[in-house]
Amino acid sequence: MTPPGTPASPSESRAGGPSPAPASSGGTAADGAVPGGTASGGGVSGGTASRYARANTGPEAHRWQTFPDTPVVLALARTFTSAVRVLEALAVFRGDTRVRVLFAFDDTSAFNAGTETLLEGVEAGLIPWSDRLAVRPDLVVTATENADMAAFDCPVAVLPHGIGFQKYVPDHRTRQVRLSGVPRPEFHDADNIHLVLSHPAQREQLRAARIPLAEHAQVVGDPAHDRLVSGFRLRDHYRSRLGVRPDQRLVVTTSTWGPGGLLGSRPRLPGALLGALPHDDYRVAAVVHPNVWFAHSPWQVRHMLADALDAGLLLMPPEAGWGAALVSADCVIGDHGSVTLYGAALDHPMLLGALGAESVPGTAVSELVRTAPWLAKEGLRAQVEQAIDTHVPGQHREAADLAFAHKGRGGQRLTELLYRLLGVAPPEDAGHDGTQRALPQPEPDPSSGIPRAFEVHGWAEGAKEVVIERFPAAAREVPDPPQGAVRHLSVFESEKRHTLADSASVVCREPVRDPGSAGWLERALERHVGAFASAEPVPEGIAVLLRDGRRFLVRSEAGADPVLAAAVLYTAVRARLPLEASGEPRERGESFKVRTGSTRWECVIEPGPADPGVLGPQPDAQEIGALEP
């Protein structure tokens, strides 16, 4: 009898035979393997994993179990990416009281960070890696090809952690390259290992590479793709959760890991996009491969993207939300990674910003390269607008058709496969399992900020119309204004960068519960000695005080924020537009039509009583509109 906690093969646990010694994990560099690491020596041995060991391993485990006779599915995780994928796939067993699921974590990958925390976060039954055989699994499910599968005699389903075999990756054992997603050579002849594929072309790829596992591979389609397509019914809801207005366009950037990916080759692109695209017309989101997060740390990712985050970048966390963000997109800018291909399959306008040398010819990604335009470094705004405005529906259909078979049936086919390998009949309502549920809500990383400083461009189109564009100043790279336009820096008082606050021409007050509290406008100009104006919300609209003491009230039914309201006044003053109609009462004010991107609105600028004194000389009424800041 095997003592509790001792690894035992399925044959020993069922028939009393000896357990073979665990084989070396021997992972590859592509999966972030630590050279020389072993599966038996690696893995979680304490913490949460140990808490579940006694109740689920060893000869006395049945004494502690409420469901002792149910078949066991053992999910193997080695990286954060593979853990997320296997959690998604296990949704096929959701609600089935006949199946127990346990997890084991091999921590020998260089990308192991965050994985145990992820599994602890979902409160999974995590056991030590050394006890993975002692749980007597009836089926092993994993989404990493580098897991040690040598000692399992039960069926092993190897799920893709992306789409097919799109990359060549280095193999530290042979100093050559191999197809990413293919298990190690010592497992190629194992008849109990079943690769799960999304398209028959991937089987032919394996055959062309003379990999015997091709004959046991199972083509089921892609449940992740199907969930994305089904998610379109909630697109408006997802966009609202992301803070994207109906009149705005969402640009989603997506990067795989490595120096050839979008972020590795163009790390400043997210910030450059935020600086190039008008804030009132566009939002920008970023989906970054988990291997970037957990090779360099979440802190490092946020630290490197700090300017873009301050400029309003919606950074999607690595575990969830990327799918809903992708569904919400109006344009996708990506590389040779799987998320880019998902975006193409959703028929989004596409731009390619990077293409690593490791991409495999003849695959769906190589087909996407043929149909998607390349994003040049200059003229980002024009390229994004052209990609959206000239997109032809079905433009990337051939790439999608080469990646995904059995569209709409991936979840059902995966359910049928895993239950068949488990030796249990699927539920009668198979096809209505957890793979058919809505995508997780898009909740950006808490580091995603709201811009509080703007480079504002304004120009007049006639005597009664003003055009305003603003760009987040934290992006650092903002375009020059059009010819004839005036520019200024406008900041909210809460702006954290002192250099921006000290350079502002207009200082704005955040909306508060007691708008119009006495003296804020004056105090703001006293604190910001270089500012031309201060602006604050009041019940009637936006009150603006100029440095020379003149006051104005900007009214608009659109409820313009202080930055936009003050920008209209600033542009009118600089362009010498009339702020008081000749021969009409002063109290009536002057009406302006305003255009901010695709939105048109109207406002009335009413002169108010001036405050002579410390702020500057008070001009005569006839001088209104003549001041040059």
Side-chain angles (χ1 to χ4, degrees):
M1 181 175 292
T2 306
T6 301
S9 70
S11 58
E12 177 189 6
S13 60
R14 294 186 177 98
S19 171
S24 169
S25 69
T28 66
D31 199 31
V34 178
T38 61
S40 58
V44 179
S45 59
T48 300
S50 296
R51 299 173 200 158
Y52 291 97
R54 186 178 180 190
N56 291 281
T57 62
E60 296 187 347
H62 67 280
R63 295 178 57 191
W64 322 116
Q65 295 173 1
T66 302
F67 313 105
D69 299 321
T70 51
V72 174
V73 175
L74 179 63
L76 305 183
R78 191 166 181 270
T79 65
F80 192 94
T81 305
S82 63
V84 169
R85 275 293 193 167
V86 81
L87 284 168
E88 292 173 350
L90 290 171
V92 303
F93 300 116
R94 188 176 190 273
D96 194 336
T97 59
R98 303 170 300 163
V99 179
R100 278 192 297 139
V101 179
L102 292 170
F103 293 78
F105 168 43
D106 171 9
D107 68 357
T108 57
S109 169
F111 300 125
N112 70 75
T115 307
E116 186 176 9
T117 301
L118 172 69
L119 296 174
E120 288 178 341
V122 299
E123 300 183 289
L126 182 62
I127 62 166
W129 181 253
S130 58
D131 288 336
R132 65 194 182 282
L133 302 178
V135 301
R136 308 177 183 183
D138 297 277
L139 171 65
V140 171
V141 179
T142 185
T144 173
E145 70 270 26
N146 286 298
D148 181 11
M149 311 170 203
F152 295 111
D153 63 359
C154 64
V156 178
V158 181
L159 307 165
H161 57 258
I163 302 172
F165 313 112
Q166 310 279 355
K167 294 181 184 179
Y168 289 119
V169 292
D171 188 333
H172 77 276
R173 294 164 302 158
T174 64
R175 299 185 181 275
Q176 297 178 350
V177 295
R178 64 172 181 84
L179 284 175
S180 176
V182 177
R184 304 188 327 244
E186 59 263 38
F187 302 133
H188 286 185
D189 293 314
D191 58 8
N192 68 321
I193 295 178
H194 305 269
L195 295 183
V196 180
L197 311 179
S198 65
H199 194 279
Q202 295 158 16
R203 191 203 307 274
E204 298 309 312
Q205 220 182 332
L206 295 173
R207 285 172 173 163
R210 298 184 178 181
I211 297 174
L213 286 173
E215 307 313 316
H216 304 293
Q218 304 290 324
V219 179
V220 303
D222 190 327
H225 164 269
D226 297 344
R227 288 183 77 192
L228 290 168
V229 173
S230 298
F232 265 98
R233 72 176 181 87
L234 294 171
R235 186 171 188 265
D236 290 345
H237 170 70
Y238 294 148
R239 288 171 64 89
S240 177
R241 290 293 293 263
L242 289 168
V244 181
R245 299 194 312 266
D247 61 322
Q248 288 180 313
R249 290 170 164 179
L250 175 64
V251 176
V252 174
T253 63
T254 170
S255 177
T256 190
W257 68 280
L262 187 71
L263 201 58
S265 59
R266 303 175 70 172
R268 298 188 67 85
L269 181 61
L273 286 166
L274 285 157
L277 301 173
H279 175 74
D280 293 291
D281 286 349
Y282 288 90
R283 300 299 303 275
V284 178
V287 176
V288 180
H289 195 288
N291 285 4
V292 182
W293 286 86
F294 296 111
H296 301 286
S297 82
W299 180 91
Q300 182 69 73
V301 171
R302 299 180 186 113
H303 195 67
M304 294 182 72
L305 293 174
D307 287 343
L309 289 166
D310 287 349
L313 179 68
L314 301 170
L315 178 61
M316 305 313 299
E319 69 275 12
W322 68 267
L326 198 63
V327 168
S328 302
D330 295 287
C331 180
V332 175
I333 299 175
D335 52 24
H336 53 291
S338 294
V339 178
T340 303
L341 196 51
Y342 281 127
L346 294 177
D347 203 20
H348 286 319
M350 305 291 299
L351 287 164
L352 290 179
L355 182 66
E358 65 270 23
S359 60
V360 179
T363 60
V365 165
S366 65
E367 177 61 26
L368 180 61
V369 172
R370 188 181 65 82
T371 60
W374 184 262
L375 181 70
K377 292 183 178 180
E378 303 297 330
L380 295 178
R381 176 178 178 178
Q383 293 178 81
V384 170
E385 290 176 346
Q386 183 178 16
I388 295 174
D389 295 340
T390 64
H391 176 69
V392 178
Q395 184 173 338
H396 311 298
R397 182 178 295 119
E398 292 184 15
D401 288 346
L402 193 56
F404 308 109
H406 308 296
K407 296 177 183 177
R409 299 181 57 214
Q412 179 180 348
R413 290 176 63 86
L414 180 63
T415 299
E416 294 170 353
L417 171 64
L418 294 185
Y419 272 96
R420 176 165 58 82
L421 295 177
L422 184 61
V424 176
E428 294 182 0
D429 61 348
H432 299 281
D433 52 72
T435 65
Q436 303 296 315
R437 294 172 62 83
L439 296 163
Q441 296 289 346
E443 301 291 347
D445 187 81
S447 62
S448 299
I450 299 174
R452 310 318 289 158
F454 296 92
E455 171 91 7
V456 184
H457 300 167
W459 62 93
E461 293 188 347
K464 296 290 186 177
E465 186 166 351
V466 173
V467 180
I468 302 295
E469 288 186 341
R470 55 178 170 171
F471 306 86
R476 297 178 184 263
E477 304 175 37
V478 296
D480 292 328
Q483 186 175 2
V486 295
R487 68 193 304 172
H488 69 275
L489 178 62
S490 184
V491 305
F492 282 96
E493 60 177 335
S494 60
E495 169 58 44
K496 295 181 180 179
R497 302 187 184 205
H498 296 309
T499 53
L500 291 177
D502 293 342
S503 303
S505 295
V506 178
V507 181
C508 300
R509 189 181 193 186
E510 301 282 354
V512 292
R513 292 184 178 180
D514 56 340
S517 57
W520 184 89
L521 292 171
E522 292 82 356
R523 292 194 302 273
L525 290 181
E526 290 172 357
R527 287 191 292 262
H528 299 268
V529 295
F532 168 67
S534 56
E536 70 168 334
V538 295
E540 300 82 6
I542 304 297
V544 183
L545 175 63
L546 303 187
R547 170 66 62 180
D548 63 5
R550 288 180 293 168
R551 292 179 180 271
F552 294 89
L553 178 67
V554 183
R555 300 178 183 268
S556 72
E557 293 185 0
D561 67 34
V563 171
L564 289 178
V568 176
L569 176 61
Y570 186 98
T571 302
V573 170
R574 289 291 303 271
R576 299 180 181 275
L577 300 181
L579 293 178
E580 181 181 3
S582 176
E584 295 184 2
R586 178 185 178 94
E587 292 77 11
R588 179 172 178 177
E590 196 69 28
S591 297
F592 289 91
K593 294 181 179 179
V594 185
R595 177 161 55 89
T596 52
S598 60
T599 302
R600 295 178 180 272
W601 48 285
E602 295 186 5
C603 71
V604 176
I605 299 178
E606 300 177 0
D611 281 347
V614 296
L615 297 179
Q618 179 182 356
D620 185 82
Q622 281 75 24
E623 294 179 298
I624 293 177
L627 180 66
E628 287 283 347

